[in-house]
Amino acid sequence: MALRAALRNSCGLSGLLSRRSSCSTHGSVSPLLVAQQRNNSTSPKIDVEFDQSTGVAVMRMQSPPVNSLSLDFLTEFCIGVEKLEMDKGCRGLIITSNQPKVFSAGLDIMEMYGKSPERCGEFWRAVQEMWLKLYSSNMVTIAAINGSSPAGGCLMSMTCDYRIMADNPRYSIGLNETQLGIVAPFWFKDTMVNTVGHRTTEMALELGLLYNPSEALKIGLVDQLVPEDQVLTTAAQAMTKWLAIPDHARQITKSMMRKPTVDKLTSNRDADIQNFVSFITKDSIQKSLRMYLEMLKKRRA
Amino acid sequence: MALRAALRNSCGLSGLLSRRSSCSTHGSVSPLLVAQQRNNSTSPKIDVEFDQSTGVAVMRMQSPPVNSLSLDFLTEFCIGVEKLEMDKGCRGLIITSNQPKVFSAGLDIMEMYGKSPERCGEFWRAVQEMWLKLYSSNMVTIAAINGSSPAGGCLMSMTCDYRIMADNPRYSIGLNETQLGIVAPFWFKDTMVNTVGHRTTEMALELGLLYNPSEALKIGLVDQLVPEDQVLTTAAQAMTKWLAIPDHARQITKSMMRKPTVDKLTSNRDADIQNFVSFITKDSIQKSLRMYLEMLKKRRA
Amino acid sequence: MALRAALRNSCGLSGLLSRRSSCSTHGSVSPLLVAQQRNNSTSPKIDVEFDQSTGVAVMRMQSPPVNSLSLDFLTEFCIGVEKLEMDKGCRGLIITSNQPKVFSAGLDIMEMYGKSPERCGEFWRAVQEMWLKLYSSNMVTIAAINGSSPAGGCLMSMTCDYRIMADNPRYSIGLNETQLGIVAPFWFKDTMVNTVGHRTTEMALELGLLYNPSEALKIGLVDQLVPEDQVLTTAAQAMTKWLAIPDHARQITKSMMRKPTVDKLTSNRDADIQNFVSFITKDSIQKSLRMYLEMLKKRRA
C-alpha cells in the first residue's frame, strides 16, 4: 500500500520527479524520504537483453522504486545505449520497465535539491545526453510504456520512434513540470511539438497536464494502447514491421526529420546547462522543491 | 430584426469587418450605414471588473452594435489590458462581450475606407498593439466567446490561453478576410498556425472560412463549447484551474511557446504597417470595400 | 488481369515507382518489363481541356499503363501547366488520370536505373520543376485522385490546394520511398509536414506507409472521399467554391503559406540535384532497384 501511495504521489497529478529512498547511491541520504528501500546501489539499474538473431535489444529499467532518472541511472543508461548503438548487429531497441506500475517517474528530485551548482550542471548534462542519444539514435526505438510516465519519463518515451502504452486508466503520461514550479526546457518542448503539435503542447506544458492512456492516444502522445500484459509482445511485433524497412533509408529519413531539433540543443548545450543551474538553485525554486518533498513525506506518514 | 440582419451581414458568410452606424466617434459620419445607433462616444467601450480576492478581471466589450475594433476601441482596450498587466494582483483576464449575439465583429471597416495613409497607419499600429499585448500577456487570458467572432474577433480569441464558445449554431468564428478581398497578415496567419496547424490554416485563410461552434471545436479553433448562459461561469471555472499553476513557471512556458511569433512582428512592425497601408489604400481595394458597404446598405434597406 | 497484377505491384505495399513497358520513349528498352504495351511515344501524355467560360482547365494524365513520371512526361506536364499559368483567363486547374485504377504511380524507375549521372540530374531537375510549378501556382489546383497515388503521385496530389479521392479501398496514397531503399528528399518531406503535420510525416516516411482512402482522409492527406464516378464532378463543384474568392487575396494568402517552403528548394536546387544523383548512382542503390525490377518481372511471369 505504501508503494501504491508513493506511485499516486509521484505519477499522479503532482508527480513530476521521483524521489530517493533512504539508501542513496551517492551519500546524500534524504531524511525526508524513507518509505521505500532502494536496491543496493551496485545492482545494475538497467537490464539489457540483446537477441543477435533478431537484432533487437530490450532494455528494462529496474531502479526501485520508480526508475527515477538520477545521475547514476542516466550514466548507466547512456552507456548501455551507446554500446548497442555501436554494435552493427543491433538494429532495434525496446525500452521498458521492470518496476510495477511505472515506466519512469522522471528526473530524480534529489539531484536538484540542496546540491551544488557544479553537481546540478553535471546532472543536467546527463539528462541532455540521454535525450541526444535517444532522439538521434540510428536504431529503431520503441517505448513499451508499461506504467506511468510523467516528466522525464514522458520525454524518454517521446524520443522513441513508436510508443505503445498499457491501457490502464490509472497510468498517466505527460510533461507536468509546471505543476511543481519547474519549467520544461526548449528541447523538451520541441520534442513535444514534434509529437503532438504546437497548440496541444502549449496547453499541456502551461497546465502541466498528465494524460491517461486514452487521452494520450487521442492527442497522439502515444501511438497504440494494448492490455498491460501485451505491451512487450506488441512492441516486438511492431519492431518487426519497422525492421522490414532498409536501415539506411530509414536512418536518413529519421535524421532529416529530427536533425534540426537535435542541432538546436547541440549548439546550445552549455547555455542550456547554465540556464538550468541558475534556475534550479534559486532560493524560491529550492523552497518549492522542499515544500513538495515535505508534502510527499506527510502523505506517506 | 434590423439587428439580426446586421449580425447576419457582419458575422455571417461575408462578415469580415464591422461597420459604423451614424454616430461616429471621430467625425467621419458614414452616409451608408444608418441601421443602428452607436453609444455616445464618451461611454466607455470596455467594462472592466477586477476581483482582487480572486485576482481575476473580466473585460466586457460594449461598443454597440457589434464591438467593432475601431481606433478608439483598440486604444481603450489596450489601456485597459496594460493597467491590469501592471497590477501585480491581477493574474487572470476573461474577455467577453456585453453585446447580444456577437463577441466582436472584427476590424472596423470605416477605419480603412476613405482614410488618409497616416490615419490607416495609426489604426494598424493599434491593431498590432492589441495583438502584442494579448499574445504575450503574463496573465492567464480566457476568451468567453458568447457570440460570433469573425476576422479580428477571431484573432483576439486566438491570442488567449483558452477559448470557450457558446454552443449556438448561428454563431461563427474564423479569419474570413479573403472573402472581402483583404488578406490576413503574417502574424494573423502565424497565430492561426500555432492554434490549428498549417494545413487547416492554409485552407481556412485561402477560402476565408467561418466555422460554426462544432466545426471550430473539431479543428481546435476553440477548446470547449457550453450553453450560451454558461460561457462566463465556465470561463471562471477554467480560470481556477489555470491559476493553480505557479505563475512564474506558467509565464516562462508561455513565453517559450510564443516568443518567436511575437518577435517576428516586433522586429517587422513598421514594414508591416507600410505593407498594410499601401495595400488598403489601393484603388481596387477601396473599391471592394465600397461595394461591400453598399451591399450592406442594400440588405438593410 | 496482367494489368491488375501490375497495378497491385506498383501501387500496393511495395509500389513506389512505376516501370516502363517495352516501348520506351527514349531508346532504353527494358528487357525486364514486358507486360504492357505503351502508347506510341508521340501520343500526348497529357490531355488538356480548358473551358474559357468557367476559367477552369482539366488535365488528364494518359501515359499508359500507370502515368509514370518519366522525363518526357514531366516535360510535357510542365509545359502544359506553364501555358495555363500564363493564360490570364485560366483561374483553376483540375488534375486527374485517364488511366484505370491509377492516378500516377510516381517517378519512373527506369529513369534512375542504369542511367548516366547527367541523365539522372536532368530527370531530377524535371521532378523539381513539376513541384515548383504546382506548389506555387497562382491557379486554384485540385487533385481529382481517381486511383492509386504512391510516391511521386502522392507528391503531385499534395501540391494541390484541395484533394478529392475515389473512395475505393483498393486504392492507396502515400510517400513509400523507404520501402524501396530510396529516401524522399527534404521538399517532399516539407510538403507532407505542411499537409499532415510533423509526427504523422515522421512515421509515414520512415515506414514508407501507403494509406487507403479512409486512412488518408483521417490523417488529412486527402480532404474528401467520393464514389469513383463522382470524383471529377465533385472537383468541379469544389472549384466553384474556391473561385468565389477574389483571386488576388487568395493568391497572396497562398504565397504567404507556401513561399518559405518553395524558397528552400529554389535556393538549394543544384545541391539537391547533386545529392540525388550521388545517391541514386550508388552501387547499393542500383542493386536495390535491380532487385525490385526483377521481383516485378517474376510476379508478372
Side-chain angles (χ1 to χ4, degrees), chain B residues 87-120:
Chain B
D87 185 334
K88 293 291 168 199
C90 184
R91 302 174 61 214
L93 169 61
I94 295 170
I95 302 173
T96 193
S97 166
N98 257 351
Q99 301 310 116
K101 300 194 181 70
V102 69
F103 178 74
S104 162
L107 305 185
D108 190 332
I109 199 170
M110 294 313 292
E111 298 283 8
M112 306 184 230
Y113 179 66
K115 289 288 186 300
S116 71
E118 291 71 29
R119 172 71 195 212
C120 286

Short mmCIF file of all heavy atoms in Angstrom, two decimals, chain B residues 87-120:
data_model
loop_
_atom_site.label_atom_id
_atom_site.label_comp_id
_atom_site.label_asym_id
_atom_site.label_seq_id
_atom_site.Cartn_x
_atom_site.Cartn_y
_atom_site.Cartn_z
N ASP B 87 -0.79 45.55 -12.76
CA ASP B 87 -1.29 45.30 -11.40
C ASP B 87 -0.84 43.91 -10.96
O ASP B 87 -1.33 42.90 -11.48
CB ASP B 87 -2.83 45.40 -11.41
CG ASP B 87 -3.41 45.27 -10.01
OD1 ASP B 87 -2.77 44.64 -9.13
OD2 ASP B 87 -4.51 45.79 -9.78
N LYS B 88 0.07 43.85 -10.02
CA LYS B 88 0.63 42.55 -9.63
C LYS B 88 -0.45 41.62 -9.08
O LYS B 88 -0.30 40.39 -9.09
CB LYS B 88 1.73 42.74 -8.56
CG LYS B 88 2.98 43.44 -9.09
CD LYS B 88 3.74 42.56 -10.08
CE LYS B 88 4.81 43.38 -10.82
NZ LYS B 88 5.25 42.74 -12.06
N GLY B 89 -1.53 42.20 -8.58
CA GLY B 89 -2.59 41.37 -8.02
C GLY B 89 -3.47 40.71 -9.06
O GLY B 89 -4.23 39.78 -8.76
N CYS B 90 -3.36 41.16 -10.31
CA CYS B 90 -4.22 40.60 -11.36
C CYS B 90 -3.50 39.47 -12.08
O CYS B 90 -2.50 39.70 -12.76
CB CYS B 90 -4.62 41.69 -12.34
SG CYS B 90 -5.76 41.08 -13.59
N ARG B 91 -3.98 38.27 -11.93
CA ARG B 91 -3.32 37.10 -12.52
C ARG B 91 -4.07 36.54 -13.72
O ARG B 91 -3.51 35.82 -14.53
CB ARG B 91 -3.19 36.00 -11.47
CG ARG B 91 -2.39 36.43 -10.22
CD ARG B 91 -2.43 35.33 -9.16
NE ARG B 91 -1.83 34.11 -9.66
CZ ARG B 91 -2.24 32.87 -9.33
NH1 ARG B 91 -3.26 32.70 -8.49
NH2 ARG B 91 -1.66 31.81 -9.83
N GLY B 92 -5.36 36.85 -13.81
CA GLY B 92 -6.15 36.27 -14.90
C GLY B 92 -7.09 37.28 -15.52
O GLY B 92 -7.58 38.18 -14.84
N LEU B 93 -7.33 37.13 -16.84
CA LEU B 93 -8.21 38.05 -17.56
C LEU B 93 -9.19 37.25 -18.42
O LEU B 93 -8.77 36.43 -19.24
CB LEU B 93 -7.36 38.97 -18.45
CG LEU B 93 -8.10 39.84 -19.47
CD1 LEU B 93 -9.07 40.79 -18.78
CD2 LEU B 93 -7.10 40.60 -20.34
N ILE B 94 -10.47 37.50 -18.19
CA ILE B 94 -11.50 36.90 -19.04
C ILE B 94 -12.05 37.98 -19.95
O ILE B 94 -12.43 39.06 -19.48
CB ILE B 94 -12.64 36.29 -18.19
CG1 ILE B 94 -12.09 35.11 -17.35
CG2 ILE B 94 -13.80 35.85 -19.06
CD1 ILE B 94 -13.05 34.60 -16.30
N ILE B 95 -12.07 37.72 -21.24
CA ILE B 95 -12.58 38.69 -22.21
C ILE B 95 -13.91 38.18 -22.76
O ILE B 95 -14.00 37.04 -23.21
CB ILE B 95 -11.58 38.90 -23.37
CG1 ILE B 95 -10.23 39.37 -22.82
CG2 ILE B 95 -12.14 39.90 -24.38
CD1 ILE B 95 -9.13 39.46 -23.87
N THR B 96 -14.93 39.02 -22.69
CA THR B 96 -16.24 38.62 -23.20
C THR B 96 -16.96 39.84 -23.76
O THR B 96 -16.40 40.94 -23.81
CB THR B 96 -17.06 37.91 -22.10
OG1 THR B 96 -18.19 37.27 -22.70
CG2 THR B 96 -17.52 38.89 -21.02
N SER B 97 -18.19 39.61 -24.22
CA SER B 97 -18.93 40.69 -24.86
C SER B 97 -20.21 41.00 -24.10
O SER B 97 -20.86 40.10 -23.57
CB SER B 97 -19.28 40.28 -26.29
OG SER B 97 -20.27 41.14 -26.84
N ASN B 98 -20.53 42.28 -24.04
CA ASN B 98 -21.82 42.68 -23.48
C ASN B 98 -22.87 42.88 -24.57
O ASN B 98 -24.02 43.22 -24.28
CB ASN B 98 -21.66 43.99 -22.69
CG ASN B 98 -21.66 43.74 -21.19
OD1 ASN B 98 -21.94 42.63 -20.75
ND2 ASN B 98 -21.36 44.76 -20.41
N GLN B 99 -22.47 42.71 -25.81
CA GLN B 99 -23.42 42.89 -26.92
C GLN B 99 -24.08 41.55 -27.24
O GLN B 99 -23.40 40.51 -27.20
CB GLN B 99 -22.69 43.39 -28.17
CG GLN B 99 -21.96 44.71 -27.97
CD GLN B 99 -22.86 45.76 -27.35
OE1 GLN B 99 -22.60 46.22 -26.23
NE2 GLN B 99 -23.95 46.09 -28.02
N PRO B 100 -25.36 41.58 -27.59
CA PRO B 100 -26.01 40.31 -27.91
C PRO B 100 -25.51 39.73 -29.24
O PRO B 100 -25.27 40.46 -30.19
CB PRO B 100 -27.49 40.68 -28.01
CG PRO B 100 -27.50 42.13 -28.32
CD PRO B 100 -26.27 42.73 -27.70
N LYS B 101 -25.30 38.43 -29.25
CA LYS B 101 -25.04 37.65 -30.46
C LYS B 101 -23.66 37.83 -31.09
O LYS B 101 -23.34 37.17 -32.07
CB LYS B 101 -26.10 37.92 -31.53
CG LYS B 101 -27.52 37.60 -31.12
CD LYS B 101 -28.42 37.58 -32.34
CE LYS B 101 -29.86 37.27 -31.98
NZ LYS B 101 -30.54 38.34 -31.24
N VAL B 102 -22.87 38.73 -30.54
CA VAL B 102 -21.56 38.92 -31.16
C VAL B 102 -20.49 39.11 -30.09
O VAL B 102 -20.71 39.79 -29.08
CB VAL B 102 -21.60 40.12 -32.13
CG1 VAL B 102 -21.77 41.44 -31.39
CG2 VAL B 102 -20.33 40.17 -32.98
N PHE B 103 -19.36 38.46 -30.30
CA PHE B 103 -18.20 38.66 -29.43
C PHE B 103 -17.50 39.93 -29.91
O PHE B 103 -17.51 40.94 -29.24
CB PHE B 103 -17.30 37.42 -29.52
CG PHE B 103 -16.05 37.50 -28.71
CD1 PHE B 103 -16.11 37.38 -27.32
CD2 PHE B 103 -14.81 37.67 -29.32
CE1 PHE B 103 -14.93 37.44 -26.56
CE2 PHE B 103 -13.64 37.73 -28.56
CZ PHE B 103 -13.71 37.62 -27.19
N SER B 104 -16.95 39.85 -31.11
CA SER B 104 -16.51 41.07 -31.79
C SER B 104 -16.55 40.78 -33.27
O SER B 104 -16.12 39.72 -33.72
CB SER B 104 -15.10 41.48 -31.39
OG SER B 104 -14.59 42.40 -32.36
N ALA B 105 -17.07 41.74 -34.02
CA ALA B 105 -17.19 41.54 -35.47
C ALA B 105 -15.90 41.88 -36.20
O ALA B 105 -15.85 41.83 -37.42
CB ALA B 105 -18.35 42.34 -36.01
N GLY B 106 -14.86 42.24 -35.45
CA GLY B 106 -13.56 42.45 -36.08
C GLY B 106 -13.24 43.89 -36.39
O GLY B 106 -13.92 44.80 -35.90
N LEU B 107 -12.24 44.08 -37.21
CA LEU B 107 -11.76 45.42 -37.52
C LEU B 107 -12.86 46.29 -38.10
O LEU B 107 -13.68 45.83 -38.90
CB LEU B 107 -10.60 45.33 -38.50
CG LEU B 107 -9.42 44.44 -38.08
CD1 LEU B 107 -8.29 44.54 -39.09
CD2 LEU B 107 -8.93 44.79 -36.68
N ASP B 108 -12.86 47.53 -37.70
CA ASP B 108 -13.89 48.47 -38.16
C ASP B 108 -13.58 48.90 -39.58
O ASP B 108 -12.58 49.58 -39.84
CB ASP B 108 -13.89 49.69 -37.21
CG ASP B 108 -15.08 50.59 -37.47
OD1 ASP B 108 -15.58 50.61 -38.63
OD2 ASP B 108 -15.52 51.24 -36.53
N ILE B 109 -14.44 48.52 -40.49
CA ILE B 109 -14.19 48.79 -41.90
C ILE B 109 -14.06 50.29 -42.17
O ILE B 109 -13.34 50.72 -43.08
CB ILE B 109 -15.29 48.16 -42.79
CG1 ILE B 109 -14.80 48.02 -44.23
CG2 ILE B 109 -16.57 48.94 -42.70
CD1 ILE B 109 -15.76 47.20 -45.08
N MET B 110 -14.74 51.10 -41.36
CA MET B 110 -14.70 52.54 -41.60
C MET B 110 -13.34 53.15 -41.28
O MET B 110 -13.05 54.27 -41.69
CB MET B 110 -15.79 53.24 -40.79
CG MET B 110 -17.21 52.87 -41.23
SD MET B 110 -17.45 52.95 -43.03
CE MET B 110 -17.31 54.73 -43.28
N GLU B 111 -12.51 52.39 -40.57
CA GLU B 111 -11.14 52.87 -40.31
C GLU B 111 -10.25 52.67 -41.52
O GLU B 111 -9.12 53.15 -41.56
CB GLU B 111 -10.52 52.13 -39.11
CG GLU B 111 -11.24 52.30 -37.80
CD GLU B 111 -10.96 53.66 -37.15
OE1 GLU B 111 -10.33 54.53 -37.80
OE2 GLU B 111 -11.39 53.85 -36.01
N MET B 112 -10.76 51.94 -42.49
CA MET B 112 -9.93 51.61 -43.65
C MET B 112 -10.48 52.20 -44.94
O MET B 112 -9.83 52.15 -45.97
CB MET B 112 -9.87 50.08 -43.82
CG MET B 112 -9.42 49.35 -42.59
SD MET B 112 -9.28 47.60 -42.97
CE MET B 112 -10.20 46.89 -41.63
N TYR B 113 -11.68 52.71 -44.87
CA TYR B 113 -12.33 53.19 -46.10
C TYR B 113 -12.27 54.72 -46.15
O TYR B 113 -12.78 55.41 -45.25
CB TYR B 113 -13.79 52.73 -46.13
CG TYR B 113 -14.51 53.21 -47.36
CD1 TYR B 113 -14.14 52.76 -48.63
CD2 TYR B 113 -15.55 54.13 -47.26
CE1 TYR B 113 -14.79 53.22 -49.75
CE2 TYR B 113 -16.21 54.59 -48.38
CZ TYR B 113 -15.81 54.14 -49.64
OH TYR B 113 -16.45 54.59 -50.76
N GLY B 114 -11.64 55.22 -47.20
CA GLY B 114 -11.59 56.66 -47.40
C GLY B 114 -10.75 57.41 -46.39
O GLY B 114 -10.94 58.61 -46.18
N LYS B 115 -9.82 56.75 -45.78
CA LYS B 115 -8.97 57.39 -44.78
C LYS B 115 -7.59 57.70 -45.36
O LYS B 115 -7.14 57.06 -46.31
CB LYS B 115 -8.80 56.48 -43.56
CG LYS B 115 -10.05 56.33 -42.72
CD LYS B 115 -10.33 57.60 -41.94
CE LYS B 115 -11.50 57.41 -40.98
NZ LYS B 115 -12.75 57.02 -41.69
N SER B 116 -6.91 58.66 -44.76
CA SER B 116 -5.55 59.01 -45.19
C SER B 116 -4.60 57.87 -44.83
O SER B 116 -4.87 57.11 -43.89
CB SER B 116 -5.09 60.28 -44.50
OG SER B 116 -4.85 60.03 -43.13
N PRO B 117 -3.49 57.78 -45.56
CA PRO B 117 -2.49 56.77 -45.21
C PRO B 117 -2.03 56.91 -43.75
O PRO B 117 -1.83 55.90 -43.07
CB PRO B 117 -1.34 57.05 -46.19
CG PRO B 117 -1.99 57.69 -47.36
CD PRO B 117 -3.14 58.49 -46.81
N GLU B 118 -1.87 58.14 -43.29
CA GLU B 118 -1.41 58.34 -41.91
C GLU B 118 -2.41 57.71 -40.92
O GLU B 118 -2.04 57.01 -39.99
CB GLU B 118 -1.25 59.83 -41.59
CG GLU B 118 -0.10 60.49 -42.34
CD GLU B 118 -0.39 60.64 -43.83
OE1 GLU B 118 -1.58 60.76 -44.22
OE2 GLU B 118 0.57 60.56 -44.63
N ARG B 119 -3.66 58.03 -41.16
CA ARG B 119 -4.70 57.52 -40.28
C ARG B 119 -4.75 55.98 -40.33
O ARG B 119 -4.90 55.31 -39.31
CB ARG B 119 -6.04 58.13 -40.71
CG ARG B 119 -7.25 57.57 -40.04
CD ARG B 119 -7.33 58.00 -38.58
NE ARG B 119 -8.28 57.17 -37.87
CZ ARG B 119 -9.02 57.58 -36.87
NH1 ARG B 119 -8.91 58.81 -36.43
NH2 ARG B 119 -9.85 56.76 -36.28
N CYS B 120 -4.65 55.44 -41.55
CA CYS B 120 -4.66 53.97 -41.69
C CYS B 120 -3.48 53.36 -40.92
O CYS B 120 -3.62 52.31 -40.27
CB CYS B 120 -4.54 53.57 -43.16
SG CYS B 120 -6.05 53.82 -44.10
#
